[in-house]
C-alpha cells in the first residue's frame, strides 16, 4: 500500500466523516465548520489528482468566500429561539431510508461496469497546472469567461434588490 | 487508484447531501447540503479528467486531454458562487418576513 493509496483513504474517510457531521450537527455553526473541513479534504483530493489550480480555487472560493458568507448570515440571525415542535417524527427516517436507497441503487448499477477499471493518472500530468489551464481559458473559453462576469454582476444586483428593505 | 474509487466516493457524498436536504429543516443547513452535492459532482469531473483513455497504455504525462473538464469545474464554481449570494439573500429575506429559518414555515406562502 503506497503513500498514494494511504492518502486517498485518509482523505476519503475525512471527507465522508465530516460530511456526515455536517448533516448531523444540531448547531448550524458546527455544520459550517465541518463543511469547511469537507472542502479542505476535497481540495486534498484535487492535489492528489494533480489539479493544483482547482485545489487552490476550491479553498479560496468555497472555504474562504462562501463559508464566510454563510457564517455572517448565521450570525445575523437569532439562533436561540426554541425550535418548533416536530409534527411528523417519521420524516427523518423516511429521508435517511430514501437517501440510502438511492446510494444502494447507484452503487449496484455502477459496480460491475467495465470502463471503471481504468487507472487514474495520480500525482503527475500537467493539465491541472495554471499554465495550461490559463492558456486554454483565455484562448478557447474567453467568451464564457466574459459572460460569467455579466453573471456575477446580475447576481450582485439581484442580491442587493432581494436583500433591500422595502 | 482506479476511477471507481472516485465514483463511489462522489456517489456517497452526493447521497449524504440528499439525506441532509431531506432530513434537516434549517434552511441554511439545507443550502449547505446543496453545496455538498455540487462539490461531489466537481470531484467526479476532476477524476474523469484524469482518467486514462486507453486501458493498458503507457502513462502519458504530456497529454492535454482533460483540460476542458477542469475548466468546466472552474465554471461550475463560478456559477455556484453567484448562486450562493442570491440564495443567502433569499434566506435573509425569508428570516425578515417570518422570523424563522425553518422550512416548515414556508407553507405560509400558499395562504
Amino acid at each position: 500500500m503506497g503513500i498514494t493509496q494511504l492518502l486517498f483513504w485518509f482523505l476519503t474517510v475525512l471527507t465522508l466523516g465530516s460530511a456526515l457531521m455536517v448533516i448531523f450537527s444540531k448547531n448550524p455553526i458546527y455544520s459550517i465548520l465541518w463543511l469547511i473541513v469537507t472542502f479542505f479534504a476535497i481540495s486534498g483530493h484535487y492535489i492528489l489528482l494533480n489539479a493544483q489550480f482547482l485545489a487552490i480555487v476550491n479553498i479560496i472560493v468555497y472555504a474562504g468566500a462562501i463559508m464566510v458568507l454563510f457564517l455572517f448570515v448565521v450570525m445575523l440571525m437569532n439562533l436561540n429561539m426554541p425550535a418548533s415542535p416536530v409534527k411528523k417524527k417519521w420524516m427523518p427516517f423516511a429521508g435517511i431510508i430514501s437517501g440510502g436507497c438511492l446510494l444502494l441503487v447507484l452503487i449496484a448499477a455502477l459496480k460491475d461496469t467495465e470502463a471503471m477499471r481504468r487507472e487514474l493518472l495520480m500525482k503527475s500530468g500537467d493539465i491541472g497546472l495554471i499554465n495550461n489551464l490559463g492558456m486554454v481559458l483565455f484562448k478557447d473559453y474567453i467568451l464564457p469567461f466574459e459572460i460569467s462576469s455579466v453573471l456575477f454582476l446580475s447576481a450582485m444586483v439581484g442580491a442587493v434588490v432581494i436583500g433591500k428593505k422595502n | 487508484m482506479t476511477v471507481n474509487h472516485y465514483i463511489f466516493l462522489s456517489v456517497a457524498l452526493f447521497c449524504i447531501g440528499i439525506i441532509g436536504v431531506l432530513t434537516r429543516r434549517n434552511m441554511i443547513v439545507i443550502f449547505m447540503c446543496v453545496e455538498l452535492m455540487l462539490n461531489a459532482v466537481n470531484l467526479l469531473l476532476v477524476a474523469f479528467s484524469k482518467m486514462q483513455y486507453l486501458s493498458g497504455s503507457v502513462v502519458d504525462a504530456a497529454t492535454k486531454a482533460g483540460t476542458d473538464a477542469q475548466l468546466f469545474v472552474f465554471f461550475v464554481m463560478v456559477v455556484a458562487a453567484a448562486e450562493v449570494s442570491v440564495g443567502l439573500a433569499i434566506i435573509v429575506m425569508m428570516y425578515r418576513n417570518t422570523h424563522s429559518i425553518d422550512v416548515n414555515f414556508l407553507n405560509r406562502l400558499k395562504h
Side-chain angles (χ1 to χ4, degrees):
Chain A
M1 199 170 190
I3 189 76
T4 308
Q5 271 91 6
L6 215 59
L7 274 174
F8 173 80
W9 289 112
F10 171 71
L11 287 171
T12 301
V13 169
L14 188 64
T15 309
L16 293 180
S18 52
L20 283 173
M21 287 303 289
V22 169
I23 65 173
F24 288 128
S25 299
K26 287 294 166 206
N27 196 339
I29 298 276
Y30 290 149
S31 286
I32 291 172
L33 295 178
W34 281 111
L35 194 58
I36 293 175
V37 175
T38 309
F39 287 156
F40 270 94
I42 289 174
S43 288
H45 275 295
Y46 289 165
I47 290 174
L48 204 61
L49 287 167
N50 213 13
Q52 299 168 3
F53 173 67
L54 286 177
I56 296 300
V57 166
N58 197 41
I59 288 177
I60 291 173
V61 172
Y62 274 105
I66 291 179
M67 285 301 111
V68 168
L69 214 57
F70 270 105
L71 273 176
F72 266 118
V73 170
V74 167
M75 286 171 181
L76 281 175
M77 291 173 178
N78 184 15
L79 290 174
N80 293 324
M81 63 177 57
S84 63
V86 183
K87 288 176 194 137
K88 300 181 178 119
K89 288 215 185 296
W90 48 269
M91 278 299 271
F93 297 104
I96 290 174
I97 286 172
S98 44
C101 282
L102 178 66
L103 180 68
L104 202 68
V105 166
L106 283 175
I107 285 182
L110 295 171
K111 187 163 58 70
D112 289 330
T113 45
E114 186 59 37
M116 291 169 58
R117 304 275 182 264
R118 302 273 170 82
E119 282 285 323
L120 292 182
L121 195 59
M122 310 286 283
K123 294 195 297 186
S124 59
D126 55 352
I127 64 167
L129 304 185
I130 195 165
N131 184 14
N132 178 35
L133 284 179
M135 293 297 277
V136 179
L137 179 64
F138 288 110
K139 270 183 190 160
D140 298 339
Y141 289 87
I142 187 69
L143 185 64
F145 185 75
E146 296 295 336
I147 289 175
S148 66
S149 69
V150 180
L151 174 75
F152 270 120
L153 183 67
S154 61
M156 192 172 69
V157 171
V160 169
V161 167
I162 289 172
K164 183 174 58 131
K165 276 196 188 0
N166 44 5
Chain B
M1 310 305 300
T2 56
V3 71
N4 56 357
H5 289 95
Y6 276 96
I7 288 177
F8 289 146
L9 170 62
S10 297
V11 163
L13 209 56
F14 193 85
C15 288
I16 287 172
I18 283 183
I19 289 172
V21 168
L22 290 178
T23 55
R24 297 301 298 265
R25 294 179 304 146
N26 191 328
M27 213 187 288
I28 293 179
V29 179
I30 287 176
F31 203 42
M32 285 179 349
C33 291
V34 174
E35 293 298 314
L36 208 58
M37 288 193 270
L38 270 172
N39 266 278
V41 176
N42 278 351
L43 182 60
L44 194 58
L45 277 171
V46 174
F48 277 142
S49 81
K50 301 293 284 188
M51 192 168 75
Q52 296 174 34
Y53 285 5
L54 301 169
S55 56
S57 68
V58 291
V59 173
D60 185 13
T63 178
K64 292 284 189 257
T67 309
D68 296 336
Q70 302 214 353
L71 282 174
F72 198 85
V73 174
F74 174 71
F75 282 114
V76 168
M77 284 179 183
V78 165
V79 173
E83 170 239 342
V84 163
S85 64
V86 177
L88 283 176
I90 291 174
I91 289 177
V92 168
M93 188 196 65
M94 277 301 303
Y95 179 73
R96 203 181 286 149
N97 287 338
T98 65
H99 298 286
S100 170
I101 50 171
D102 197 327
V103 287
N104 287 351
F105 285 101
L106 276 177
N107 60 6
R108 285 178 188 167
L109 282 174
K110 68 187 177 188
H111 294 303

